[in-house]
Amino acid sequence: MSVDVQDIVRRFGTTAALKGVSLSVREGEFLALLGPSGSGKTTLLRILAGLEGSDSGTVHIAGQDMTGVPARERNIGVVFQHYALFRHMTVFDNVAFGLRVRRQRPSSAEIAARVRRLLELVQVPELERRYPDQISGGQRQRVALARALAIEPRLLLLDEPFGALDALVRKEVRRWVRSLHDSLGITTILVTHDQEEAMEMADRIAVMQGGRIVQLDAVGALLRDPATAFVAGFIGEATRLPCQVRNGVAHFDPLPVLPLQVALPDGPAAAFVRPAEISVRHGAGTASVRLCRTEGEGPARLIVQAGDIMLDALANPGESFEKGESCRLSIRGSHVFAESGERAQGVPLAEVMVG
Amino acid sequence: MSGSAAALGAAPGRAAPIRAIPGFRTSLGITLLWAASIVVIPLLALLLRPLELGPLGLWESLTEPRVLAALRLSFGAAFVAALLDLPLGLLLAWAIVRLRFPGRGMLDAALDLPFALPTAVAGIALTALTAPNGWLGAPLMAVFGLKVAFTEVGVVFALMFVGLPFIARTVEPVLRDMPLDAEEAAATLGASRAQTLWRVVLPALLPTLLTGFGLAFARAVGEYGSVIFIAGNLPMITEIAPLLIVIRLEQFDYAGAAAVGLAMLALSFVVLLAINMLQRRLRRGRR
Amino acid sequence: MSDDALHTAPFRPAWQDRPWVRRLLAAAAVLVALVMLALPLTAVFVEALRRGLPVALEAITEPDTLAAVRLTLLVALITVPVNLVGGLAAAWCIAKFDFPGKRLLTTLIDLPFSVSPVIAGLVFVLIFGAQGWLGPWLQARDIQIIFALPGLVLATLFVTFPFVARTVLPLMQEQGRDEEEAAATLGAGGLQTFLMVTLPNVKWGLLAGVLLCNARAMGEFGAVSVVSGHIRGETNTMPLHVEILYNEYQFAGAFAVAALLALLGLVTLTAKTLLERLSGRNGGLV
């Protein structure tokens, strides 16, 4: 089902958790709401689920206005952050719950058959008789998903569902959930603060900050074309370098970094530089290598100190540096944001001169 | 589904606050009906009936020497009893949490006895114990010449019995959750065990002891069943305020009885408020 | 400390007192418990049996006593369910919802604990008594509330008002709202959520609350004393009967009935201790 959110505002007391959020999710899409804690992503999810009201704005699901429709009538599956499994019920009873509370309740044979099918689907059929505190975190996660799927939801909401899992299990469960989505085709919205998770799972990512969606795009586009300085800093690895624009040139003084040509008005600005965009060369300079780490085949990863800033950088293939060695830095190109929010691509001066 | 959506969505502008969990109105309705009919409206009567006497009549009704003596006894004895219960309650809580000895489990279970024993039962039992020929009364009389039953001492003793578990059970969980590292830190800094207890443990427990004191005091002020048997009920001497209410009711002086009741509540409220403020002060000083 | 002591003394953590101090404290605690707790309880049973078991049994099976037992059971049978329903509703809406006036309501529920039982009886006399607000109206219609069963029930309702709500509320709050919200997204209604999700999670605490409520309802003295009228065989509950016998110097009988009440208290106490152990365990396993 498609989801259409228009101008949602939600205040808690005097603070606004959502300051006018609009979002549309396509049918069958896997969308991630990504943002730091306090950005409003969980509030938005709870409003979609009908667990929270909004002060203004509308939510349409499959074209139908959801205003005033209580959670129990929305038919939306939710996997809660800590799963919220019913502690006093067996795994079987947990999954069966949504079928048993229906107004037209299926026969118990039918319920049993469907619960077993769902437990097969989430690959834990053997846990039927266990209680939630007798199974592992990863298993609970699967049970919570089966329980949400039991009501044949038209929309699936996942609230930080992998946060409680340890790193190894998390990776495996993530892939599995994504493949499950691909086979079931249920529109899914994932809330997460982990960019890696969002990038790995979602078709598109809505980046949230301070109660607003600052950019909604596919993963590649977010990396290629960050809309704001926040997105540039939050998505992918990037180091923020403050600079000063004068006559179309960004100067990094007092940092030992060569200036960039950039089409921005004069004034303070910041460049967001990804490791691969920095070129580090041997030679006397005021920058120095703090750490050089080679991992297998790829280029060595460097941490370079320039003034009081630590930069992540990649060495040229095959090159390696001594710890403490002084070096010279230049930037191959990066996104530069003026204080006004205006954005431009910074290009090395030399390149322009050559061109 | 769309029907209810239209009905609820009818209020335009600010969307109706959604309650995630259904069943709010029903449960609140039952709660309000229950609380209003059993507690709120009856207490309203207590608030309004004394007004029939008029301000002057109310004043006269409350400043009768017999009323003043009864209030003094109820509040004074409750205060002394709660005060005496403080070290005893602390001792019992400490024994349950920090010590291991045979009978500790029994002690833990027995501590709730004053909660569980009907007050009339406690009343006649304590009277039998402390009467001049009782197990406690006889030796106390012989050795110290102390008469317990049918005196103020007996009133205090009965109120101590009633209040003891309030203090012990308030202190116990706090003591249990109190991290031991503060005491270890004090030891590494060279404090003796006595210094540690006096300067580290006791101050940490002080707000809790105050809470327990307040609970024991509030309970003791209004106590009736466990006191009237042991008190002897001599007007002006061992007559407690609740008994005076009963006596006034028997004389059909409803407004006068309500006045005493209201005075008791008001005084308790003032004392509890003072305890609360003292506590806040203690807590603030800590930050 | 001498070397010798260092070698022989077992390690004592910094937070632990010296052994002799611990022994002294334990002895003092036991002494306090004996005098303040064990002695009064023992006295009840010793006094009850002072003139032999037959006398005690006779006192208990006397018609007036039996009437008192019946009345006490009847009062408890009415008050406990009322406070059970009210207390559960109150705990549920305070724990699971936010609404203006919630703190006031929470305070209100505790209020009867800090009101003298005599006042609990008094307030109903003020309303329903002969000179009460509704007194003349009731008299004209020949309806008896004070000095009759309804008065006993009302006064008992007041003093036992907080028990169920007080024991269940912290459990419900501790549980949070996650499970109820999950139930809502799965399509459950209010009553379904309450019965299938909330209630099973607090069942042992609830049982403890009901037991305490019942013990207080059967043992209440001050509040019912005000509204009872002390008519033997009619408006006399067990605790009131103890008083009457005691005042008539029938000590053996008074203590025999008191022993019965004390047994009720002991059973309640034991059951509560057991329930606390149970509720510490997972709800699903039991």
Side-chain angles (χ1 to χ4, degrees):
Chain A
M1 298 290 153
S2 64
V3 177
D4 198 33
V5 175
Q6 284 296 329
D7 300 319
I8 289 282
V9 175
R10 176 64 174 139
R11 273 182 287 274
F12 292 112
T14 50
T15 54
L18 294 175
K19 303 172 181 164
V21 168
S22 298
L23 169 73
S24 84
V25 186
R26 299 171 198 136
E27 171 132 29
E29 186 176 23
F30 197 125
L31 181 112
L33 293 174
L34 173 66
S37 56
S39 59
K41 53 194 193 306
T42 293
T43 305
L44 180 56
L45 190 89
R46 288 173 61 85
I47 288 174
L48 288 176
L51 295 172
E52 195 85 64
S54 57
D55 294 304
S56 66
T58 56
V59 173
H60 285 83
I61 294 177
Q64 184 195 350
D65 185 2
M66 284 290 121
T67 313
V69 179
R72 61 174 301 210
E73 287 168 20
R74 290 196 179 194
N75 197 30
I76 293 175
V78 183
V79 175
F80 289 78
Q81 192 170 0
H82 303 290
Y83 315 135
L85 292 176
F86 305 126
R87 275 168 277 189
H88 62 285
M89 291 183 200
T90 58
V91 164
F92 183 96
D93 291 334
N94 262 281
V95 178
F97 184 88
L99 301 171
R100 287 180 177 156
V101 298
R102 279 197 182 174
R103 283 186 188 128
Q104 280 111 27
R105 173 184 168 161
S107 72
S108 48
E110 193 180 329
I111 289 178
R114 276 173 66 180
V115 170
R116 299 227 161 87
R117 221 177 311 136
L118 280 160
L119 289 176
E120 291 288 343
L121 180 72
V122 299
Q123 303 167 353
V124 288
E126 71 282 4
L127 298 180
E128 212 180 283
R129 294 202 175 155
R130 305 275 200 91
Y131 285 93
D133 65 353
Q134 299 171 321
I135 61 180
S136 73
Q139 289 169 332
R140 272 179 227 168
Q141 221 263 338
R142 286 164 190 262
V143 174
L145 193 59
R147 185 179 69 174
L149 290 174
I151 58 170
E152 295 172 323
R154 37 188 194 160
L155 175 64
L156 189 61
L157 305 177
L158 311 173
D159 186 8
E160 304 260 12
F162 311 109
L165 303 179
D166 55 53
L168 218 66
V169 183
R170 194 183 311 179
K171 208 152 189 116
E172 178 209 322
V173 176
R174 262 190 219 156
R175 296 214 172 112
W176 170 74
V177 168
R178 174 68 220 210
S179 67
L180 200 64
H181 169 266
D182 292 341
S183 63
L184 297 175
I186 303 174
T187 313
T188 304
I189 298 177
L190 166 78
V191 157
T192 178
H193 64 270
D194 180 346
Q195 52 147 326
E196 196 192 323
E197 187 171 293
M199 289 201 251
E200 190 180 308
M201 297 186 72
D203 300 321
R204 288 192 304 159
I205 298 176
V207 183
M208 294 193 69
Q209 180 205 8
R212 289 198 173 84
I213 291 179
V214 285
Q215 191 170 6
L216 170 58
D217 246 321
V219 178
L222 285 175
L223 287 171
R224 249 186 342 267
D225 277 321
T228 69
F230 172 78
V231 176
F234 193 68
I235 306 276
E237 271 180 281
T239 309
R240 180 180 183 277
L241 294 181
C243 56
Q244 198 74 32
V245 179
R246 284 188 298 273
N247 301 324
V249 177
H251 297 273
F252 293 92
D253 319 323
L255 300 177
V257 176
L258 294 174
L260 290 176
Q261 170 136 19
V262 68
L264 286 176
D266 288 4
F272 289 84
V273 192
R274 300 200 190 283
E277 291 170 343
I278 298 182
S279 125
V280 184
R281 276 164 296 149
H282 294 281
T286 46
S288 65
V289 175
R290 290 275 149 223
L291 188 80
C292 176
R293 191 160 46 109
T294 32
E295 287 167 351
E297 300 292 291
R301 295 190 68 105
L302 304 173
I303 293 178
V304 182
Q305 182 172 14
D308 51 3
I309 287 183
M310 295 288 182
L311 283 156
D312 288 301
L314 293 179
N316 291 326
E319 265 185 68
S320 138
F321 289 80
E322 293 295 314
K323 189 174 171 187
E325 187 182 339
S326 65
C327 59
R328 285 192 288 172
L329 296 176
S330 60
I331 297 173
R332 296 197 184 95
S334 83
H335 297 290
V336 185
F337 292 88
E339 260 190 354
S340 62
E342 205 176 320
R343 180 184 69 143
Q345 187 69 27
V347 202
L349 273 176
E351 205 174 282
V352 178
M353 279 188 258
V354 169
Chain B
M1 197 188 294
S2 57
S4 67
L8 282 164
R14 202 180 176 289
I18 286 193
R19 300 199 190 273
I21 308 164
F24 173 64
R25 280 184 199 190
T26 320
S27 61
L28 188 66
I30 297 174
T31 305
L32 292 181
L33 183 71
W34 172 68
S37 53
I38 297 177
V39 172
V40 180
I41 296 173
L43 283 181
L44 224 56
L46 183 71
L47 221 58
L48 297 180
R49 286 302 296 254
L51 301 181
E52 290 165 13
L53 296 169
L56 200 67
L58 187 61
W59 179 253
E60 275 171 5
S61 166
L62 286 177
T63 49
E64 253 178 48
R66 195 172 166 189
V67 176
L68 289 179
L71 287 174
R72 204 177 304 131
L73 177 64
S74 275
F75 280 80
F79 193 86
V80 173
L83 212 57
L84 292 174
D85 271 339
L86 275 180
L88 299 186
L90 181 59
L91 173 70
L92 292 180
W94 187 272
I96 289 171
V97 175
R98 289 291 186 91
L99 303 177
R100 294 289 173 270
F101 56 92
R104 190 185 65 97
M106 280 285 282
L107 195 156
D108 191 3
L111 192 49
D112 285 328
L113 200 64
F115 284 149
L117 211 58
T119 54
V121 178
I124 62 170
L126 294 174
T127 311
L129 273 183
T130 57
N133 60 348
W135 295 344
L136 289 174
L140 283 173
M141 191 64 172
V143 179
F144 303 103
L146 184 68
K147 196 165 177 264
V148 179
F150 319 122
T151 66
E152 297 98 313
V153 182
V155 175
V156 170
F157 182 66
L159 295 182
M160 280 175 70
F161 172 80
V162 168
L164 187 61
F166 283 93
I167 290 172
R169 284 292 186 228
T170 312
V171 173
E172 188 201 320
V174 179
L175 196 59
R176 207 181 289 280
D177 292 344
M178 203 161 72
L180 298 173
D181 55 8
E183 289 167 63
E184 292 179 338
T188 64
L189 295 169
S192 74
R193 185 64 189 148
Q195 283 172 319
T196 306
L197 290 176
W198 184 250
R199 288 165 178 263
V200 178
V201 179
L202 203 61
L205 288 177
L206 208 53
T208 315
L209 283 167
L210 263 177
T211 307
F213 177 87
L215 291 171
F217 173 80
R219 169 72 198 263
V221 163
E223 184 53 36
Y224 182 69
S226 39
V227 184
I228 52 156
F229 296 99
I230 206 173
N233 307 330
L234 284 172
M236 303 293 299
I237 301 172
T238 58
E239 188 176 66
I240 54 169
L243 181 62
L244 203 59
I245 293 179
V246 174
I247 291 171
R248 283 191 163 180
L249 272 182
E250 279 166 1
Q251 297 162 348
F252 292 99
D253 179 10
Y254 283 18
V260 176
L262 193 59
M264 283 177 67
L265 278 191
L267 279 172
S268 301
F269 180 73
V270 169
V271 173
L272 292 181
L273 201 69
I275 290 175
N276 208 318
M277 271 158 64
L278 192 61
Q279 224 169 9
R280 219 174 270 184
R281 203 134 163 218
L282 277 175
R283 291 230 161 91
R284 195 162 5 146
R286 202 146 294 176
R287 269 168 209 153
Chain C
M1 205 189 281
S2 70
D3 273 5
D4 195 39
L6 266 179
H7 289 301
T8 53
F11 175 73
R12 178 167 60 89
W15 47 266
Q16 210 172 63
D17 296 294
R18 285 167 210 291
W20 69 267
V21 177
R22 274 184 282 155
R23 253 174 258 138
L24 191 71
L25 286 173
V30 169
L31 183 71
V32 170
L34 280 177
V35 172
M36 300 286 297
L37 304 170
L39 222 47
L41 184 68
T42 317
V44 174
F45 292 100
V46 170
E47 292 289 335
L49 297 173
R50 178 157 293 207
R51 291 172 54 195
L53 189 61
V55 178
L57 285 178
E58 198 183 322
I60 290 172
T61 49
E62 185 219 2
D64 282 350
T65 311
L66 288 179
V69 172
R70 269 195 298 275
L71 182 62
T72 299
L73 290 175
L74 181 62
V75 169
L77 205 65
I78 302 171
T79 49
V80 173
V82 172
N83 280 337
L84 171 68
V85 172
L88 275 177
W92 155 268
C93 70
I94 289 172
K96 307 295 177 187
F97 300 95
D98 294 311
F99 54 94
K102 186 159 126 165
R103 283 186 58 181
L104 191 71
L105 186 62
T106 316
T107 316
L108 183 73
I109 286 173
D110 279 337
L111 194 60
F113 272 156
S114 41
V115 172
S116 171
V118 169
I119 294 177
L122 165 72
V123 290
F124 292 105
V125 178
L126 295 179
I127 297 177
F128 301 111
Q131 334 248 315
W133 282 342
L134 301 178
W137 190 88
L138 290 167
Q139 238 159 17
R141 280 152 194 78
D142 212 19
I143 303 171
Q144 270 278 16
I145 290 188
I146 300 304
F147 304 149
L149 180 66
L152 294 173
V153 168
L154 283 171
T156 309
L157 275 174
F158 187 102
V159 290
T160 56
F161 182 86
F163 281 97
V164 173
R166 259 294 124 206
T167 40
V168 172
L169 179 60
L171 295 174
M172 285 193 188
Q173 277 171 331
E174 199 183 316
Q175 218 133 43
R177 303 174 186 179
D178 280 8
E179 290 184 33
E180 284 80 8
E181 288 184 356
T185 66
L186 294 169
L191 194 62
Q192 281 172 323
T193 307
F194 178 74
L195 293 176
M196 296 171 76
V197 177
T198 311
L199 208 53
N201 276 327
V202 300
K203 60 185 168 191
W204 299 120
L206 176 66
L207 196 54
V210 167
L211 281 174
L212 291 175
C213 182
N214 178 63
R216 181 70 193 266
M218 290 188 171
E220 178 51 31
F221 177 73
V224 291
S225 160
V226 175
V227 294
S228 146
H230 309 274
I231 309 162
R232 277 184 114 145
E234 278 182 45
T235 61
N236 232 13
T237 62
M238 283 167 78
L240 296 176
H241 197 57
V242 170
E243 186 195 20
I244 288 191
L245 293 174
Y246 188 85
N247 287 343
E248 289 172 351
Y249 301 101
Q250 302 185 36
F251 292 132
F255 277 101
V257 181
L260 214 56
L261 283 168
L263 278 178
L264 166 75
L266 287 179
V267 168
T268 307
L269 210 61
T270 315
K272 195 189 131 233
T273 312
L274 285 178
L275 283 174
E276 270 162 8
R277 289 211 190 124
L278 274 179
S279 59
R281 235 190 284 166
N282 174 282
L285 288 174
V286 190

